[in-house]
Amino acid sequence: MPSVVLSLAFLAGSAIAQQSVWGQCGGIGYSGPTSCVSGSCCVTLNAYYAQCTPGTGCGGGGSGTTLTTKTTTTTATATPTGGGGVGSGKTRFAGVNIAGFDFGCGTDGTCNTAKVYPPVKNYPPDYNHPDGAGQMQHFYRDDNMNIFRLPVGWQYLVNNNLGGSLDSTNFGYYDQLVQACLSTGAYCIIDIHNYARWNGAIIGQGGPTNEQFADLWRQIATKYANQPRIWFGIMNEPHDVPNISTWAATVQAAVTAIRNAGATSQFISLPGNDWQSAAAFISDGSAAALSAVKNPDGSTTNLIFDVHKYLDSDNSGTHTECVTNNIDSAFAPLATWLRQNNRQAILTETGGGNTASCQTYVCQQLAYLNQNSDVYLGYVGWAAGSFDSTYELDLTPTQNGNSWTDTALAKACFAR
Ligand SMILES: *[C@@H]1O[C@H](CO)[C@@H](O)[C@H](O)[C@H]1NC(C)=O
């Protein structure tokens, strides 16, 4: 989509209702107050969302100044904030998940390796799999994306041998996708898609030992120690984990193993309980417990909290209609906590159907993250790769000759 364009036209505030700081003040389909309280001004983030943003740069000087916008042609650009801890107006990272090596993984941490469907074109036996490499090249080149998350099952990587070495054949195929990602110039998240489990039992709490899990990460980090754009995603969607402190110790074991393997400075993302829910991250104790996870030198440099959030009626990411932008319920309170604690987060799964409601709400949500890019490093949509248009949350582009066509949602909200 075209970059956000602002034109400046100041309207004096009047007796009409005024929106509070961080509240919505404009956008397609919005009918509430368009004037902001004193000390803030209405900044358009995209066609679907404008937000009252603190700052004195609204001009005019009166209370309730409004920055109105247009969304078609290019004229002036304006730095959207006047200060106050918010970011540059654009998160550092944006991209999509390239799924397929995780197919066959269930939420109990079983992964049927016969059911993987890798987005690696020359994958046997048919050598006609989806072209994940081409998709990433397209996203990087045409949509200015710069991060891809590459889910994979633990069982696949070690060929079902818990505690064993990376399987050279299986890891070789996965590494093809990783290398294809790196060759675009993007950052590449290695995501172990196991829900904190191996075959039904939780790591460090009745299932695999922390040592077995750390050894997996030691081996992976050894392979990629010299790749600054590799991002280590410790685990996908822990849930129903009985003891969050014990889980944080498991995460710590993985972090220590990665750093000690020579990957001393790359990003590592730390997942909390409750399917990494951005809304539950503070209340379920994940934020406090994971705050104790440190690098070997005692710092938290590049240890990034990893959250997920969907926008459908039950936050499951299984419906094509969206009902919320998650801002008031999740991303605003989390931003406050992150700022207070001097930490950052990344949203590594979010998305919706290719519907009008999801276009509205997903764009609003991502605009909020962009607006708060001091604490939100970025977002990664779910999902492209081996999905196709029969999947509710499909973000897979379709190829025609040398050109690719994005899904409606990818084009509206994730492309930049
Ligand atoms: C969780 O585990 C820690 C040790 O890691 C222990 O001290 C604590 O009592 C446990 N909490 C619960 C609720 O069992």
Side-chain angles (χ1 to χ4, degrees), residues 3-347:
S3 55
V4 173
V5 172
L6 305 175
S7 72
L8 309 179
F10 301 111
L11 305 174
S14 65
I16 58 173
Q18 292 191 323
Q19 183 56 278
S20 55
V21 174
W22 301 123
Q24 187 174 1
C25 52
I28 292 169
Y30 174 75
S31 59
T34 56
S35 175
C36 295
V37 295
S38 181
S40 67
C41 52
C42 189
V43 173
T44 290
L45 305 178
N46 60 34
Y48 298 93
Y49 202 70
Q51 180 185 42
C52 292
T53 303
T56 52
C58 311
S63 70
T65 47
T66 304
L67 196 79
T68 59
T69 68
K70 59 181 182 178
T71 55
T72 50
T73 56
T74 52
T75 50
T77 56
T79 304
T81 68
V86 296
S88 61
K90 197 169 170 186
T91 59
R92 180 171 170 191
F93 297 107
V96 296
N97 282 266
I98 306 295
F101 276 104
D102 57 310
F103 286 12
C105 289
T107 57
D108 64 350
T110 54
C111 290
N112 181 346
T113 54
K115 293 205 168 159
V116 298
Y117 199 76
V120 170
K121 246 179 130 174
N122 65 338
Y123 198 83
D126 51 317
Y127 305 97
N128 190 25
H129 275 226
D131 183 7
Q135 292 177 26
M136 290 187 281
Q137 286 161 19
H138 152 69
F139 282 134
Y140 186 87
R141 180 187 62 228
D142 301 328
D143 293 336
N144 291 312
M145 295 185 188
N146 59 1
I147 194 164
F148 301 106
R149 182 170 178 258
L150 313 174
V152 63
W154 183 357
Q155 287 89 337
Y156 181 80
L157 290 179
V158 296
N159 200 22
N160 292 307
N161 181 15
L162 177 61
S165 301
L166 294 174
D167 180 80
S168 59
T169 302
N170 290 359
F171 182 76
Y173 284 118
Y174 181 69
D175 185 55
Q176 281 191 34
L177 189 68
V178 174
Q179 297 303 331
C181 175
L182 288 171
S183 73
T184 66
Y187 280 67
C188 309
I189 304 176
I190 295 177
D191 160 45
I192 303 298
H193 214 76
N194 274 71
Y195 304 89
R197 289 159 171 82
W198 172 287
N199 296 357
I202 298 175
I203 307 162
Q205 305 191 42
T209 63
N210 287 353
E211 289 70 28
Q212 287 171 323
F213 185 54
D215 190 57
L216 171 73
W217 275 114
R218 178 191 61 77
Q219 294 182 63
I220 295 171
T222 300
K223 300 273 188 191
Y224 298 119
N226 297 321
Q227 291 285 359
R229 285 183 284 105
I230 288 288
W231 182 313
F232 302 99
I234 297 284
M235 178 54 65
N236 177 70
E237 296 192 348
H239 65 92
D240 301 290
V241 171
N243 189 323
I244 190 63
S245 305
T246 306
W247 171 247
T250 299
V251 173
Q252 177 69 70
V255 168
T256 301
I258 291 166
R259 294 302 189 216
N260 287 346
T264 55
S265 60
Q266 289 97 328
F267 287 113
I268 302 178
S269 47
L270 316 179
N273 206 354
D274 290 303
W275 316 87
Q276 298 181 233
S277 166
F281 188 70
I282 301 166
S283 61
D284 72 8
S286 295
L290 292 174
S291 292
V293 176
K294 300 279 163 60
N295 292 310
D297 66 2
S299 75
T300 58
T301 307
N302 288 348
L303 302 183
I304 308 300
F305 298 126
D306 191 346
V307 295
H308 290 180
K309 199 80 184 73
Y310 288 96
L311 305 91
D312 48 355
S313 53
D314 59 359
N315 184 36
S316 64
T318 59
H319 304 96
T320 56
E321 296 292 341
C322 294
V323 301
T324 175
N325 59 26
N326 292 317
I327 294 172
D328 292 342
S329 57
F331 290 107
L334 180 56
T336 300
W337 186 92
L338 291 166
R339 254 175 224 124
Q340 284 167 351
N341 290 277
N342 198 23
R343 298 296 296 261
Q344 291 178 311
I346 183 167
L347 174 63

Side-chain angles (χ1 to χ4, degrees), residues 317-379:
T318 59
H319 304 96
T320 56
E321 296 292 341
C322 294
V323 301
T324 175
N325 59 26
N326 292 317
I327 294 172
D328 292 342
S329 57
F331 290 107
L334 180 56
T336 300
W337 186 92
L338 291 166
R339 254 175 224 124
Q340 284 167 351
N341 290 277
N342 198 23
R343 298 296 296 261
Q344 291 178 311
I346 183 167
L347 174 63
T348 59
E349 281 191 24
T350 193
N354 287 292
T355 56
S357 63
C358 288
Q359 244 177 70
T360 299
Y361 287 123
V362 172
C363 285
Q364 288 178 359
Q365 174 187 274
L366 300 186
Y368 184 84
L369 268 58
N370 279 316
Q371 188 61 31
N372 292 275
S373 60
D374 59 324
V375 288
Y376 291 117
L377 270 186
Y379 44 83

